[in-house]
Amino acid sequence: MIATAWRVAGVGFSLLVVLAAALLYGVDPQQTKAGGAMIGEDFWFSYEFRTDGLTVLMLAVVGVVSACVQIYSIGYVRERIASYTALVTLFTAAMVTVVISDNLFVLLIGWEVMGACSYLLIGHYWERRDARAGAMKAFLMTRLGDVGFLFGIFVLGVGYHTFRISELGSGPIEPRTLTIGTILLLVGVIGKSAQVPLQTWLPDAMPGPSPVSALIHAATMVAAGVFLIARLYNVFVEARTTLTVLAVVACVTMLFAASCAMAAVEVKRVLAWSTVSQLAIMFAALSLGTHDGRRAALFQLLTHAAFKGLLFLCAGVLLHQVGSAAFVVLRRYTRRGASRKQLRVTFVTMTIGLAALAGVPGFSGFFSKDAVVAAAWEQAKDGSTVGWIVLVSVCLTAAMTAFYCVRMWLWVFFRTPALAGAVGAFEGDDPMADLDEPDANKLRDGSWLMLAPMVLLAIGAIGLGYVDGVHLNLPIALVTTVLAVLGGFAAYSLWQRGADPRPVVLEREYGVDPAYQRLFVVPVEWLAKLAVGNDRDVIGGYVRAAGRAGVLASQGFRKLQTGNVQTYLTAAVIGAVALAILAGVIGS
Amino acid sequence: MSESLLIALIAVPTLTAVVLWALPVVTADRVAALVGTVVSGVLLVASLVLWWDMRRPHCPCTVEAVYGPLPRTLPGKLTPDVDINVPWIPSLGVRFHLAVDTISLPLITLTALLVLLCCVYSLKITPRIGRTRSLIALLLVIETGVIGAFAAADLVLFFVFFEIVLIPMWLVIDIWGDDHDRAGRRRAATTFILMTVFGSALMLLGFLLVHRHAGTFDLVFLGQHPIKGGHGVPLAAAILIAVGLAVKMPLWPLHIWLPDAHAKAPTVGSVLLAGVLLKLGSYGMIRILLPVLPDATATIAPYLAGFSVVAIVAGSLACLAQTDVKRLIAYSSVGHMGFIGLGIATMSPEGLNGALYANLAHGIITGLLFFLAGAIKDRHDTSDLRAIGRALYARLPRISGLLTYACLASLGLPGLAGFWGEMLVLLGAYHPADWLPRATFIVLMVIAGLGAVLTAAYFLRLIRELCQGDPAENPPAAFAVDLSRIEFVTFVPLVVLTVFLGLWPFTLLNQWTFL
Amino acid sequence: MPLILPLLLAVVLFCIGVYGVLARRNVITLLMAFELMLNAVNLNLVAFDAWRINDATGQTLAVFVITLAAAEIGLGLAIVLLLFRGHGHVDADAARDLAEQDDAERNELVEQEKAT
């Protein structure tokens, strides 16, 4: 009963957001505010909101994706429905707050409430160790970034004497302050959007329910970073140093994440790394500092929301039906195309999603990626280093993306022709694992509640490429297509030979996690022990010593109490004589 | 009318306590909690009326004068609204001077609220030792002391009320404390009282120095004629007062009494200790140090800020290694009070607003946390994390859900009460008063920010160790009952206030108008 | 008669008294030494009175002192008697019932009393 009420409320809220986006479409930008407090003589705090084109776009994305997720979850989530649905709704509301806020602190509220919601939702299956660890890691890493974000707000707000977003960027500010402020904001963005060096939380967040992953990756949370830079674009454009830093971070991240995705052996982990990589493409586009770049980034955000949401929902069906999203398990069901036939809708929609992700011509991902490349080319043509860096890395990433998409598609849905070689590609040291054939007849496509959102998003994954009008730059399209084909062909030939070489360094994801463990977690644990020991043995020691000193002193004075009358009298006489002498000395 | 209300706020709890003690034991034990609830409920209403009376437009005056920008004052300076001023010990120049303003009234209301909730909680849930009559009576005496201290406008009177609080709290810890560890609770109670008495002795010395220098104990007069000079006698006075109040607050390294006292105290004792008593220290700093000894405070402010930041980091680190729920929450108080200390040390309006806001938020959130810890402890007869086991989400879903909520609130999640205080304190540290070294404060701000991450780390660790986990390995105890009705009634006001203060801070922030 | 002679005598008497009180162990001797000191004071009183004032104030005080001394010696002897009854001796050094004892000793004593 309660669960139903929450579900209705959740879906209703998402649809409300979509409705709001529809109503606001084409309306002139507006601003409003509520409450307010003047602190000191300098700072005005208030709830300020605004609507403009960017808001409408984001509202539409958030509304549609969250509606899909809410509907899908009705069929997906079986336990703790009320808390789950409430948190997803709160999550959506937080993202809406971020999108419509016109005050940095209001934005921060939504920003961090999203972090908390993602923590709680990733830990939805709190019985599982990996879910617990992943949730905690997600919150701590994003929180670390958020502290930088908060300081960035201080620097910019104090610099511009306002915390109002629409007033930022107007007025004089020292270039140094601007650079420091934007870089600090960037720290928060890096944490939220899982860019290098704060990238490790996103793949580890995969034990969470798949619809939540879809929500986090497609519309909220990680997309908030991109949104923020797009929102504060006029500030960021002023700070060229920050944009260069952003470009470097984004390019490193996209290659790093794509290479990790090439070696991951679990559907959701591949998708997680691909999200990191795709977000990095958006940041790279933003780092160009041009209007085209921003437009390309937002276009990429839009298409990515559709196909990545779709892919996670498909992964959810696989998880639901098979019980695992690991390649090693999934490929047992590929004999005689069992999974393809039994999960027909899933197969088709996932193929569309992967095609969009890989940038197959005609699908949405192709157009948005080309827009990024075109924007980078515009810059590179004029000799801009940043433009060249972005251009090269995005092209490389396109090839790698095609590689991991094709690799995943083939291994998950198709039986490799090279039977003998295939054994051991994922099973490791258990060559017999491939031989037991699971009962594939139990596989069923989910209920229509789960399939409808997938179909909707699949339509989006194709159609969204055309909403902006088709601006095809033929040479660029040709280059990226060739690159994608090259990447895809490499994956195909490997699959055909039944081999899946995974370099150890990629499989360990460059050893970043263990390094962080050694660099940060272990020292902090040491320091914690030190702090407790310090309290107990040093500070507590002083307190105990003070008590002990009192006791000791009292014991010393007790010794004087001998009980011998004559001793007392002797002391009294000596005292009297001494006093007399003293009186004599002073008196004379 | 306001004057008599204020007198009633201070006198009625003690009179009720006397009446309770005068009644026969059996009868009194039965009705004590009820009487306490009614009386403290009335007091809460009275404090709200007092607040409303202070804020409402007093004619003859125009609306703009009230709702327009309030006059800005020096930080912490007492601008009495209700003023009761009669001679008390003329030969020493001590007056019975009570006054409240926008700084003290919210704290008085918080005190009344928390005592009310403690009494409501005691309607059904009391420590195993019994003797409810004396427990409730002592809680009421504590209420008198705390409200008196918040309303005192004379240094000696402040000191007297400050001391009135100590003995009842000592008894509460010693008699109704942890009933498994008699020696431990005695030691905790003794450490508590000895350290705080030591602190207040230093504070009294500081007051005497102030009197020697200024010739009066009166806070209103001292606020109008602050003691100039940052060296010599004013500096000595400021150091003495700061150290004395820092014991109470408590700031590192004077916090050592706090974890023991909280861990051994009964639930209501912990709630009042954390929610109200610690605030006496920070309130004293804002009310006495800043307006009376501004120059000397400026001299010691960087050191105060330094120790506060050490408190934030050391407290958070210590939390990470705790294995006892109540000790962990107690250490978290050290960290949060460190934020408040930092806010005061910035001497800027943002920092002070932040400190005052964090004061209230900490009282509410930590009160809730201690109530929840008490609920968990009652059900498992221990507060040791390992003995309680994990997977509380499965065993006590409502209580552990609330615990998660309270933890998120306490780690300063924006949108809940803990955020605004911490944020304003950090903003204050970024933008401290002009006469303070800015670079130092920025470094401290960064360290404090990292401390905020550590805060998140230990609360998440608590949730992970306690609430999450495999239910198969931690089967529910047979007697474990989820949230009872009386607990629900007690916790809900705190939960609601946390959300309200988190989403609508402006009502309070607009009251504190500092230069 | 020059004043110095009675005063010297008083000093000698007083010092003998002090010595007796501080150094002797027998309580009876102590009491006797007290008497010596009191009488030294008496001698001073009478001597000063005769030397300067001559209105018998000193003599009156001396008579008072003699009376008090008698009462005091009565009380003192009673205490000595009780001491002898309780401990079987009249040794001042050995009568240390009021001394601070260590906790262990005290517990022993308490247990001894219980046993008896």
Side-chain angles (χ1 to χ4, degrees), chain A residues 95-119:
Chain A
M95 185 65 190
V96 169
T97 311
V98 169
V99 169
I100 62 172
S101 73
D102 191 23
N103 183 296
L104 287 169
F105 288 107
V106 184
L107 191 141
L108 185 70
I109 290 179
W111 185 266
E112 288 219 39
V113 168
M114 269 198 296
C117 285
S118 72
Y119 162 74

Side-chain angles (χ1 to χ4, degrees), chain A residues 209-220:
Chain A
S210 291
V212 170
S213 304
L215 191 63
I216 291 178
H217 290 236
T220 59

Side-chain angles (χ1 to χ4, degrees), chain A residues 362-377:
Chain A
F363 291 88
S364 62
F366 170 76
F367 294 109
S368 59
K369 197 176 301 165
D370 275 12
V372 176
V373 175
W377 173 244

Side-chain angles (χ1 to χ4, degrees), chain A residues 389-413:
Chain A
I389 295 175
V390 170
L391 185 69
V392 171
S393 1
V394 172
C395 287
L396 271 178
T397 309
M400 289 157 95
T401 310
F403 178 89
Y404 64 70
C405 287
V406 172
R407 167 174 173 261
M408 185 162 91
W409 187 60
L410 290 173
W411 283 108
V412 168
F413 287 113

